[in-house]
Every structure is written in C-alpha cells, then in structure tokens.
Amino acid sequence: MDEALWHPDAEDFELNRVLAALADPHRRRVVLQLARADGPCLCATFSLPVAKATRTHHFRVLREAGLIRQVDLGNGRSNTLRRADLDRRFPGLIDALLAAEPESPASGVDQMPASASGGASTPAPVR
C-alpha cells in the first residue's frame, strides 16, 4: 500500500511537540546533523545506537513534530531539516541548538553504509 508520509503545515507546528521531540538526545542529534548537512541524508546514514524499529520511531516523531521532511525513496527515506519553516515559526531555535551543542568529531553523519543490525552494534558517541 502506497501511503503518503504526513507532514504538518508550518503554521500548525506546536512548540510543546517540537520541544518534546528535541528532548530525546538521539532525535536532537539527528536534527543537529541535518542542520549541518549540505543536503538530504538517508535514514541509514545516521549513526544511532538503537534498533531499526527504534530508529524508525525517532524519525516519525521528528517528522510529525515538523522538524524534518521525509521523502520515501522505495528502499529508504531521505531526510531534510525544515529549517526555513522552523526559523519562521520559532526564530532562533535551531541556532540555539547549534550553539548549545557544538559539532564534535563523533557527531558527524556516518560515511559507512548501515549494518544489517540497524546500528545496534555501533558504539555510543564519546561525551
């Protein structure tokens, strides 16, 4: 069944839903990586130390809060930060996140393809 992915309109973004999505460190890491990326990133390119089902859940929460836009590619999904919409609705939010969590070598997007385990064996980032 081909179901279109639901994305809220920018005027429907709710601050409490956006902040709840950002409260999780894995989801915040995805948003920060997308904010620093030059373009769309596939879900599999993120180094998240969680099971595939949990990764899917995190991306759904981010999408339904309005933080990311996903495009179904058939064998995966590309993700982009809805930066313009977020800056218009909540000015300075993404800049504040970027300033609060400066980029570290461990925070970049993985350059290696995702493993069959969905990243479950990937070590947690060094803090």
Side-chain angles (χ1 to χ4, degrees):
M1 178 186 300
D2 183 31
E3 295 182 23
L5 297 172
W6 178 80
H7 297 84
D9 293 329
E11 60 272 3
D12 295 330
F13 291 177
E14 297 175 11
L15 183 60
N16 62 337
R17 195 167 193 179
V18 169
L19 294 177
L22 291 170
D24 181 89
H26 298 306
R27 293 192 292 259
R28 193 168 51 251
R29 182 175 173 190
V30 168
V31 169
L32 289 168
Q33 287 178 211
L34 287 172
R36 293 179 179 116
D38 291 333
C41 298
L42 296 175
C43 294
T45 62
F46 292 89
S47 178
L48 298 177
V50 296
K52 186 175 179 181
T54 304
R55 177 187 299 254
T56 300
H57 167 74
H58 285 312
F59 281 101
R60 182 180 54 90
V61 169
L62 290 169
R63 179 175 43 82
E64 291 180 355
L67 288 157
I68 66 171
R69 179 165 305 282
Q70 290 189 302
V71 175
D72 193 349
L73 302 175
N75 62 348
R77 290 183 179 164
S78 71
N79 302 278
T80 54
L81 182 66
R82 294 180 66 179
R83 180 72 187 252
D85 291 336
L86 290 162
D87 285 346
R88 198 169 34 256
R89 186 76 169 95
F90 307 114
L93 175 65
I94 300 301
D95 290 332
L97 285 173
L98 288 165
E101 297 190 35
E103 187 171 12
S104 67
S107 69
V109 174
D110 263 353
Q111 299 304 313
M112 301 294 290
S115 67
S117 65
S121 64
T122 305
V126 178
R127 293 189 184 245

